[in-house]
Amino acid sequence: MAQSKLDKWGIGDRVLAMREHLTCVEIADEVNMRYRPAGEELVNRMTISRYCNAHGITDRRRNDISAVPRDHFDTLEEAEKVRKRLVNHTNRIGELWENIKGDEEKLSELASISNAYMNALKMQQELNISVSKIQKEQLGLSKVRKVLSIILSTLDKHPEVRVEIFDELRKSEVYDTIRAL
């Protein structure tokens, strides 16, 4: 069997250790950023998955190999879109009002339509705010994962300290939270 590029680079054991806590995508990112020799091709998540499977690591709780969707939207851009719709709606309502100001029945219909549209815009803006808060939280978790990854890779160099830290963490009430990251 041919030697894996991860073994050639001397990081096979490190990859297997990282797999305890990271997804294949996260490991591939880490390897490409920190351990890939200059001029070598990028490692992808499938390379990491195959390597781990070949070394008996197939049943991890976080055995996901696919990337986390990166469907973030620009909150300011979305707010600007809502603002433009609001301005356009206001201008259009003003024009319509000028044309039908003598017809009370049409004015009543126009008011109902306008109120429904304004409520839809308000709901859209509230949704944008909620999504923005969720994105901020996810970004924070992503940063915490990266920090923990660095800490764990540093602890790999000092096994006695790693054991001591994990013993203390297991006693802590936040251990399940840390494992979930």
Side-chain angles (χ1 to χ4, degrees):
M1 184 167 111
Q3 187 180 27
S4 163
K5 70 169 83 176
L6 299 175
D7 288 328
K8 287 178 188 174
W9 297 350
I11 60 168
D13 290 337
R14 185 176 305 276
V15 167
L16 296 175
M18 284 192 281
R19 192 64 181 101
E20 292 285 331
H21 305 286
L22 301 176
T23 66
C24 293
V25 170
E26 292 166 329
I27 295 169
D29 289 344
E30 184 75 11
V31 166
N32 290 328
M33 202 170 40
R34 300 181 81 208
Y35 303 108
R36 182 178 54 94
E40 292 286 338
E41 287 186 27
L42 294 175
V43 172
N44 63 34
R45 65 182 184 255
M46 289 308 297
T47 301
I48 301 298
S49 178
R50 283 191 299 270
Y51 185 83
C52 291
N53 285 336
H55 289 82
I57 300 177
T58 58
D59 60 344
R60 294 285 178 245
R61 186 171 117 326
R62 293 192 65 200
N63 203 23
D64 47 345
I65 60 171
S66 60
V68 177
R70 308 275 189 230
D71 296 334
H72 297 302
F73 69 93
D74 183 341
T75 308
L76 292 176
E77 181 180 319
E78 292 298 318
E80 180 64 20
K81 287 179 185 177
V82 171
R83 182 186 169 284
K84 285 180 182 177
R85 287 188 199 119
L86 184 59
V87 168
N88 289 339
H89 178 71
T90 304
N91 292 340
R92 183 73 179 132
I93 292 294
E95 291 169 10
L96 289 172
W97 183 81
E98 284 297 324
N99 293 335
I100 62 170
K101 61 183 169 186
D103 188 338
E104 284 191 34
E105 186 176 322
K106 286 185 179 178
L107 281 173
S108 177
E109 288 176 24
L110 179 63
S112 294
I113 293 169
S114 179
N115 286 338
Y117 187 76
M118 296 298 280
N119 284 333
L121 288 174
K122 182 179 177 185
M123 288 173 56
Q124 185 177 13
Q125 185 61 24
E126 289 172 1
L127 177 62
N128 288 348
I129 291 168
S130 296
V131 169
S132 176
K133 288 177 182 176
I134 291 168
Q135 286 178 342
K136 180 180 177 182
E137 184 176 312
Q138 286 177 337
L139 180 61
L141 287 175
S142 175
K143 288 180 180 178
V144 168
R145 279 189 185 105
K146 287 181 182 181
V147 167
L148 285 176
S149 174
I150 292 168
I151 291 170
L152 290 172
S153 65
T154 303
L155 285 175
D156 286 342
K157 298 173 188 172
H158 308 284
E160 66 284 348
V161 176
R162 180 185 171 103
V163 168
E164 184 178 334
I165 287 175
F166 273 88
D167 285 344
E168 290 299 317
L169 286 174
R170 283 186 193 95
K171 295 174 191 174
S172 170
E173 61 192 40
V174 296
Y175 184 66
D176 287 334
T177 304
I178 292 169
R179 286 184 60 207
L181 293 175

